[in-house]
């Protein structure tokens, strides 16, 4: 302990939490010395100077502060989280989609059959990186639907440090690749603040997208806090983020190995797959299509998956397959009820989804192969979460070539999908999602889907843990009940690092999960779970697990139901069910009528847990909360002014939905004329743009890639200074109403038309507002290809939105659809 005190940590930490003496490497005071820290205060206090200081350097003794390192033998950590993948999707858990990387990992480690999540992506991710429940972390729902209550404000407060911060301050290299849906929109800009970005959470390197989804061909992509566009200059369809992200992670691992080969890493790998849009490469589509995995349809697929699951032992032999949904609130067609055209189109949808899944698995495998090449795989703890919720049911009952159409409540008929998009499905010209019936099948053997926190189909996903140096029961199966809040405690125990009591001087909220390390030993394969109680809540739907029993509310409205006339019951009046999961693995038989006392007991447990973890107040308005007041990246601004070239991030873009708006461009045209983009919001799948094409002014309004309305002047604008204005008058109140647009040059009308419909609900969510160029996709591919830089001079562009023209009930409906889209 004398050494411990000598490092200068004693004033705050000596004796606290029974902290062991530090592990010192090298001679203290030498430039190469390293030490562990007690870890209950982050950052650790600076050590006392241990040298000698005299009047002159000759008679003084230098002393360098030791480098902070993790405990000896601490493993590297690779945390992989797949998006929108149901329990029955991967071959590792009985699915038909080839998943060789995950299969290999499971053969070298353990499969967990009862891992649970929050049933929606950003809430699950907040829980995963913190070890605390999603309401504790302020993510009771996605940030876009946040409200001003502690469990729902989408703000990770300083008293809830993530695993990134904990491991970083204990000497790990920390990084985050891929999806980041935990940075709320009002700070998701290049000027921050960055306390709610991965860097603010302790992840030193970030390469990914701070939104719920993005196009994989031309993504909304950042390196740390700076937007990047690495696909520019390459032929369309040749660059894909799924591969680029793996390349970036591999490069990062190589840089660590080259510069600090002894430094362990925490790498959080969160690919876009398999969230919509489903964007695999053509090679993967062809490969999966050639296997004919889905030719017999979704009902047969469920039976096949269910049989596979029993053979693998990932469900018990006596487990029962839940019924196909027939009747409200879920009513899905069976395969034999479909036409030949419907079957053809739906098979294509499933092939592309499966290709995206297999492609994602393959690219993650390349990252693992790099760790193995470096000789570090044996001491790398890999935690692979095969889903952050159940499979997504946001593609409508018929699927869609453009998920913006689905989010706006627009069904694209199957005949149009076949005629216009069949051969393009999954490529850069589509943003596809599959029919809900496939979703239900990929959640086999459970009921329901993503968003439904009350049923296992929404909140149960497979997981695999591998750590060759520690886990010797290769290929073992673990059936203990666990939750993603158990990931961080597992990492901390495995690395020998304690949860801190203080971070930056702030007392820390306790970790709420439990470690799963006890399951690593074969002798504990059938040990009782240490996770005894767990609540679930999302959008008013709720459940409680307690000592093998499971009580839950029934679903009031299906996640894919876009009927605005549905009236929800009072959130406190939901009907409850009861299941004994010790004998009923799949929630097959409701036993509430036979066990009313047990149901009442569990309901009381839910209330107790809800009070403890900030779940109240319950709110079943669903995503209608989206339009409630919340912080803004540009609060109170009624007119936006820009100079070029500049791109405006999502959190600061002005609105144009269901309202008047005016765009004014003050420009100079050089001798010989000019063309290029003046200002655009959105792109190929939704949005608008004002630009000059061969000198002529053009305004294009892209109605979710289904129709493009166009205003164009007859004459090219001559050289000199000019003012181009597009003024749109909306025929509200109401949704998707008509409107009249007038395009003028120097006050003279050059084009005018009234359009019958406008975008109903969901504006663009993964493209910039660009001024002076177009950084992602164009609003009309027939006119130009990005970046389409303006060749004249832009002095100023202003955008002036009017107030929204929606009735209260319509605003609620818009909110629901919009936030669904953003997740």
């Amino acid at each position: 302990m004398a050494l411990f005190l000598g490092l200068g940590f004693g004033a705050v930490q000596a004796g606290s939490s029974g902290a062991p003496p530090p592990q010192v490497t090298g001679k203290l005071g030498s430039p190469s010395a390293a030490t562990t820290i007690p870890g209950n205060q982050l950052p650790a206090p600076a050590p006392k100077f241990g040298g000698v200081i005299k009047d002159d350097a000759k008679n003084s003794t230098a002393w360098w502060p030791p480098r902070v390192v993790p405990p000896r033998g601490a493993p590297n950590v690779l945390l992989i989280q797949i998006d929108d993948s149901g329990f029955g999707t991967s071959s590792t858990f009985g699915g038909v989609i080839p998943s060789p990387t995950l299969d290999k990992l499971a053969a070298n480690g353990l499969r967990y059959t009862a891992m649970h999540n929050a049933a929606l992506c950003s809430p699950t991710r907040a829980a995963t990186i913190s070890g605390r429940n999603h309401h504790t972390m302020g993510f009771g729902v996605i940030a876009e639907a946040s409200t001003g209550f502690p469990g729902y404000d989408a703000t990770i407060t300083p008293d809830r440090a993530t695993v990134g911060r904990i491991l970083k301050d204990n000497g790990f290299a920390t990084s985050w690749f891929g999806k980041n849906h935990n940075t709320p929109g009002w700070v998701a800009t290049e000027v921050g603040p960055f306390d709610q970005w991965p860097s603010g959470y302790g992840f030193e390197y970030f390469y990914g997208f701070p939104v719920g989804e993005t196009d994989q061909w031309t993504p909304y992509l950042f390196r740390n806090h700076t937007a990047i566009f690495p696909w520019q200059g390459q032929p369309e369809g040749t660059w894909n983020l799924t591969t680029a992200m793996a390349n970036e992670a591999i490069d990062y691992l190589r840089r660590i190995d080259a510069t600090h080969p002894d430094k362990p890493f925490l790498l959080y790998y969160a690919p876009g797959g398999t969230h919509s849009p489903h964007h695999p490469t053509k090679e993967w589509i062809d490969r999966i299509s050639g296997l004919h995995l889905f030719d017999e349809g979704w009902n047969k697929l469920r039976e096949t998956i269910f049989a596979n699951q029993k053979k693998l032992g990932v469900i018990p032999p006596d487990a029962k397959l839940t019924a196909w949904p027939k009747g409200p609130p879920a009513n899905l067609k069976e395969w034999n009820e479909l036409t030949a055209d419907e079957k053809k189109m739906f098979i294509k949808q499933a092939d592309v989804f499966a290709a995206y899944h297999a492609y994602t698995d393959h690219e993650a495998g390349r990252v693992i192969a790099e760790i193995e090449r470096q000789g570090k795989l044996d001491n790398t703890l890999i935690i692979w979460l095969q889903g952050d919720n159940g499979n997504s049911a946001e593609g409508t009952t018929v699927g869609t070539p453009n998920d913006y159409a689905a989010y706006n409540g627009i069904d694209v008929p199957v005949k149009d999908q076949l005629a216009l998009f069949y051969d393009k499905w999954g490529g850069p010209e589509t943003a596809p999602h599959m029919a809900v019936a496939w979703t239900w099948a990929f959640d086999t053997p459970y009921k329901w889907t993503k968003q439904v926190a009350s049923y296992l189909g929404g909140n149960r996903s497979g997981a695999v843990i591998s750590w060759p140096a520690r886990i010797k029961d290769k290929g073992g199966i673990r059936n203990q009940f666990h939750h993603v809040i158990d990931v961080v405690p597992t990492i901390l125990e495995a690395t020998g690092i304690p949860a801190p009591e203080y971070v930056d001087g702030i007392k820390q909220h306790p970790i709420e999960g439990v470690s799963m390390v006890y399951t690593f030993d074969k002798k504990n394969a059938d040990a009782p779970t240490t996770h005894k109680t767990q609540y679930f809540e999302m959008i008013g739907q709720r459940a409680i697990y307690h000592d093998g029993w499971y009580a839950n509310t029934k679903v009031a409205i299906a996640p894919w139901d876009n009927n605005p006339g549905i009236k929800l019951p009072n959130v406190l009046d939901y009907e409850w069910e009861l299941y004994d999961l010790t004998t009923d693995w799949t929630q097959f038989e409701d036993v509430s009528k036979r066990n009313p006392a047990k149901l009442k007991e569990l309901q009381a447990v839910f209330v107790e847990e809800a009070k403890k973890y900030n779940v109240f107040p319950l709110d079943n308005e669903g995503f209608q909360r989206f339009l409630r007041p919340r912080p803004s990246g540009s609060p109170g601004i009624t007119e936006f002014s820009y100079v070029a070239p500049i791109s405006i991030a999502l959190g600061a873009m002005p609105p144009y939905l269901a309202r008047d708006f005016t765009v004014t461009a003050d420009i100079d045209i050089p001798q010989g004329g000019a063309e290029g983009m003046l200002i655009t919001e959105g792109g190929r799948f939704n949005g608008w743009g004002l630009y000059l094409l061969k000198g002529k002014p053009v305004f294009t309004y892209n109605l979710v890639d289904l129709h493009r309305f166009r205003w164009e002047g007859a004459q090219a604008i001559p050289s000199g200074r000019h003012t181009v204005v597009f003024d749109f008058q909306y025929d509200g109140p109401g949704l998707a109403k008509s409107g009249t647009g007038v395009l003028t040059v120097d006050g003279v009308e050059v084009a005018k038309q009234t359009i019958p419909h406008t975008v109903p609900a969901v504006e663009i969510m993964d493209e910039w507002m660009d001024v002076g160029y177009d950084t992602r996709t164009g609003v009309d591919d027939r006119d130009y290809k990005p970046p389409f830089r303006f060749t004249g001079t832009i002095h100023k562009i202003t955008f002036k939105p009017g107030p929204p023209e929606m009735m209260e009930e319509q605003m609620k409906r818009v909110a629901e659809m919009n936030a669904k889209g953003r997740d």
Side-chain angles (χ1 to χ4, degrees):
M1 187 60 71
L3 177 62
F4 176 57
L5 295 173
L7 284 175
F9 301 129
V12 174
Q13 309 223 13
S16 63
S17 302
Q23 300 171 4
V24 177
T25 301
K27 182 181 178 182
L28 281 175
S30 69
S32 60
T35 184
T36 59
I37 59 174
N40 61 334
Q41 178 177 339
L42 300 178
K48 294 177 181 177
F49 179 69
V52 177
I53 298 178
K54 299 293 186 180
D55 290 345
D56 63 332
K58 277 187 179 180
N59 294 306
S60 300
T61 304
W63 194 94
W64 291 92
R67 179 168 57 98
V68 174
V69 295
R72 293 189 188 104
N76 304 297
V77 180
L78 174 61
L79 174 58
I80 298 174
Q81 192 156 49
I82 306 300
D83 204 340
D84 283 9
S85 180
F87 186 85
T89 304
S90 69
S91 55
T92 315
F93 290 91
V96 301
I97 304 175
S99 312
T101 299
L102 190 57
D103 288 346
K104 182 178 179 182
L105 202 67
N108 200 36
L110 302 170
R111 271 177 293 186
Y112 289 76
T113 65
M115 178 62 72
H116 296 81
N117 53 61
L120 205 57
C121 64
S122 53
T124 293
R125 291 158 192 266
T128 300
I129 63 174
S130 69
R132 303 175 181 93
N133 286 295
H134 58 298
H135 291 88
T136 298
M137 299 304 290
F139 275 91
V141 72
I142 59 173
E144 293 84 353
S146 56
T147 57
F149 297 100
Y152 300 90
D153 61 10
T155 300
I156 298 179
T157 52
D159 61 332
R160 290 155 169 78
T162 76
V163 68
R165 177 63 192 274
I166 297 170
L167 266 59
K168 177 182 77 72
D169 281 16
N170 278 275
F172 275 70
T174 58
S175 59
W176 183 330
F177 294 83
K179 177 170 172 172
N180 158 30
H181 200 191
N182 294 114
T183 297
W186 54 89
V187 296
T189 72
E190 288 186 289
V191 297
F194 301 115
D195 59 314
Q196 299 297 311
W197 281 67
S199 60
Y201 301 149
F203 294 87
E204 296 177 296
Y205 188 78
F206 173 60
Y207 178 92
F209 49 98
V211 284
E213 71 167 63
T214 193
D215 185 314
Q216 299 291 293
W217 301 107
T218 57
Y220 184 64
L221 187 61
F222 286 75
R223 179 177 283 117
N224 297 318
H225 308 131
T226 303
I228 57 174
F229 311 92
W231 63 87
Q232 289 185 351
Q234 302 190 47
E236 187 173 64
T238 60
W239 187 99
N240 189 293
L241 179 57
T242 308
T243 294
M245 190 178 112
N247 290 343
E248 188 81 7
I250 290 168
D251 178 70
Y252 177 79
L253 289 169
R254 288 176 178 173
R255 281 183 277 136
I256 293 174
D257 193 50
T259 55
H260 299 290
D262 62 335
K263 187 169 188 173
F265 59 79
L266 163 66
L267 194 155
Y268 181 30
Y269 190 84
T274 51
H275 197 293
S276 64
H278 302 155
H279 277 160
T281 62
K282 184 179 184 303
E283 291 76 11
W284 280 100
I285 295 174
D286 291 345
R287 187 179 305 183
I288 294 298
S289 296
L291 298 177
H292 298 281
L293 300 174
F294 307 107
D295 288 3
E296 294 184 277
W298 41 60
N299 298 100
K300 181 63 177 177
L301 176 64
R302 285 191 93 219
E303 295 171 4
T304 300
I305 294 173
F306 187 63
N308 290 344
Q309 289 170 336
K310 288 195 172 183
K311 288 177 186 176
L312 287 172
V314 296
I315 62 173
D318 60 351
K320 296 179 181 178
L321 180 61
T322 52
W324 185 254
K326 300 295 286 186
N331 187 17
L332 301 178
K333 285 185 177 181
E334 297 195 28
W335 190 254
N336 60 15
E337 298 178 85
L338 304 178
T339 67
D341 280 353
E342 287 173 328
K343 290 178 179 179
K344 179 180 179 180
M345 190 65 244
F346 293 155
I347 290 170
K348 169 66 82 169
Q349 294 172 6
D351 280 346
V352 171
F353 169 79
Y356 194 23
H357 187 285
Y359 178 31
T360 300
D361 176 273
H362 173 79
E363 294 300 320
R366 293 178 52 231
V367 177
I368 296 172
E370 175 60 26
I371 296 171
E372 185 173 25
R373 187 196 67 78
Q374 293 182 13
K376 298 179 180 178
L377 185 61
D378 193 55
N379 197 34
T380 296
L381 170 66
I382 301 176
I383 301 177
W384 183 308
L385 302 172
Q386 186 58 33
D388 56 355
N389 40 241
N391 228 273
S392 170
E394 293 151 2
T396 83
T397 56
V398 295
T400 181
N402 177 5
D403 54 9
Y404 282 100
Y407 301 151
N408 278 290
I410 300 171
D411 281 349
V412 179
V414 168
K415 63 181 180 62
D416 292 336
Q417 295 183 34
L418 275 170
L420 302 174
F421 301 105
Y422 183 85
D423 292 329
K424 302 174 182 179
W425 204 270
E429 295 176 76
T430 65
H433 203 325
M434 62 189 173
V436 170
W438 289 125
T439 299
W440 200 282
F442 286 124
D443 284 331
T444 300
Y446 305 113
K447 306 177 217 179
W448 289 101
T449 65
K450 172 185 175 180
Q451 298 187 31
V452 182
S454 53
Y455 286 87
L456 299 179
N459 68 38
R460 178 172 285 186
S461 54
V464 169
I465 299 180
S466 171
W467 183 10
R470 173 68 173 78
I471 296 174
K472 304 304 180 184
D473 185 18
K474 312 295 186 185
I477 292 176
R478 300 294 185 263
N479 297 317
Q480 290 91 347
F481 183 101
H482 279 288
H483 189 276
V484 293
I485 62 172
D486 299 336
V487 168
V488 168
T490 302
I491 292 171
L492 295 182
E493 182 176 352
T495 56
I497 294 171
E501 297 173 21
Y502 291 86
V503 175
D504 296 329
I506 298 172
K507 177 75 172 175
Q508 291 296 291
H509 185 93
I511 298 289
E512 295 165 356
V514 300
S515 171
M516 296 181 285
V517 168
Y518 76 99
T519 65
F520 292 179
D521 297 319
K522 188 172 184 178
K523 66 180 181 180
N524 292 327
D526 298 317
T529 181
T530 58
H531 197 127
K532 302 293 186 182
T533 304
Q534 179 61 48
Y535 82 91
F536 299 87
E537 191 279 336
M538 187 60 58
I539 322 163
Q541 295 179 134
R542 49 207 187 273
I544 183 73
Y545 168 86
H546 183 63
D547 287 338
W549 288 91
Y550 190 92
N552 62 277
T553 58
K554 289 185 176 182
V555 174
I557 179 172
W560 59 88
D561 198 327
N562 286 324
N563 182 357
I566 289 179
K567 184 173 177 58
L568 290 171
N570 185 295
V571 69
L572 300 179
D573 293 337
Y574 279 27
E575 187 177 348
W576 284 73
E577 298 176 333
L578 179 69
Y579 297 90
D580 181 359
L581 295 188
T582 64
T583 59
D584 178 7
W585 187 261
T586 63
Q587 268 184 297
F588 185 86
E589 183 184 7
D590 173 18
V591 295
S592 59
K593 299 295 188 292
R594 299 201 303 268
N595 298 274
K598 176 59 71 174
L599 176 59
K600 188 174 181 180
E601 174 193 336
L602 261 68
Q603 288 172 318
V605 174
F606 176 84
V607 170
E608 181 182 343
E609 296 293 290
K611 289 178 179 178
K612 186 189 305 183
Y613 297 118
N614 291 336
V615 178
F616 293 126
L618 295 173
D619 189 343
N620 71 340
E621 277 200 334
F623 296 115
Q624 293 125 330
R625 310 174 216 181
F626 188 85
L627 292 184
R628 293 186 192 171
R630 61 181 51 83
S632 167
S634 51
I637 298 178
T638 57
E639 185 170 302
F640 300 80
S641 297
Y642 309 106
V643 293
I646 194 170
S647 294
I648 308 300
L650 300 177
M653 288 182 353
Y656 67 93
L657 173 73
R659 68 184 72 215
D660 302 339
F661 63 88
T662 302
V663 188
T664 303
D666 178 5
I667 60 175
D668 250 319
I669 306 295
Q671 292 292 329
E675 72 170 2
M677 182 59 64
L678 299 176
I679 180 171
T680 179
E681 183 173 334
R684 177 177 289 153
F685 302 108
N686 198 3
W688 55 267
L690 175 63
Y691 48 96
L692 267 58
L693 185 65
K694 297 179 180 178
K696 299 178 181 179
V698 176
F699 187 91
T700 294
Y701 189 103
N702 178 1
L703 182 62
V704 296
D705 199 30
L706 299 179
H707 193 92
R708 284 170 174 79
F709 301 103
R710 180 186 181 89
W711 292 256
E712 182 175 1
Q715 304 296 325
I717 301 176
S719 61
R721 189 159 182 169
H722 300 276
T723 301
V724 180
V725 176
F726 180 79
D727 181 75
F728 188 78
Q729 296 297 309
Y730 184 70
D731 296 333
L735 296 180
K737 295 291 187 177
S738 58
T740 300
V742 178
L743 181 63
T744 63
V745 177
D746 299 328
V748 178
E749 180 182 308
V750 297
K752 178 180 180 179
Q753 70 167 312
T754 298
I755 61 176
H757 301 292
T758 52
V759 175
V762 183
E763 300 174 4
I764 198 70
M765 55 188 156
D766 67 335
E767 289 224 25
W768 296 86
M769 170 179 273
D770 296 313
V771 179
Y773 58 177
D774 193 345
T775 55
R776 296 260 329 270
T777 60
V779 291
D780 194 333
D781 290 335
R782 297 166 299 182
D783 283 352
Y784 68 92
K785 298 293 182 185
F788 198 44
R789 296 180 182 276
F790 183 59
T791 56
T793 301
I794 295 176
H795 295 289
K796 185 171 73 169
I797 289 184
T798 59
F799 184 96
K800 187 172 183 178
E805 297 187 38
M806 289 180 282
M807 294 172 282
E808 183 177 355
E809 285 303 313
Q810 292 173 329
M811 292 179 71
K812 289 180 179 181
R813 191 60 187 150
V814 167
E816 177 179 353
M817 296 158 68
N818 208 335
K820 275 185 182 179
R822 291 177 183 270
D823 192 56

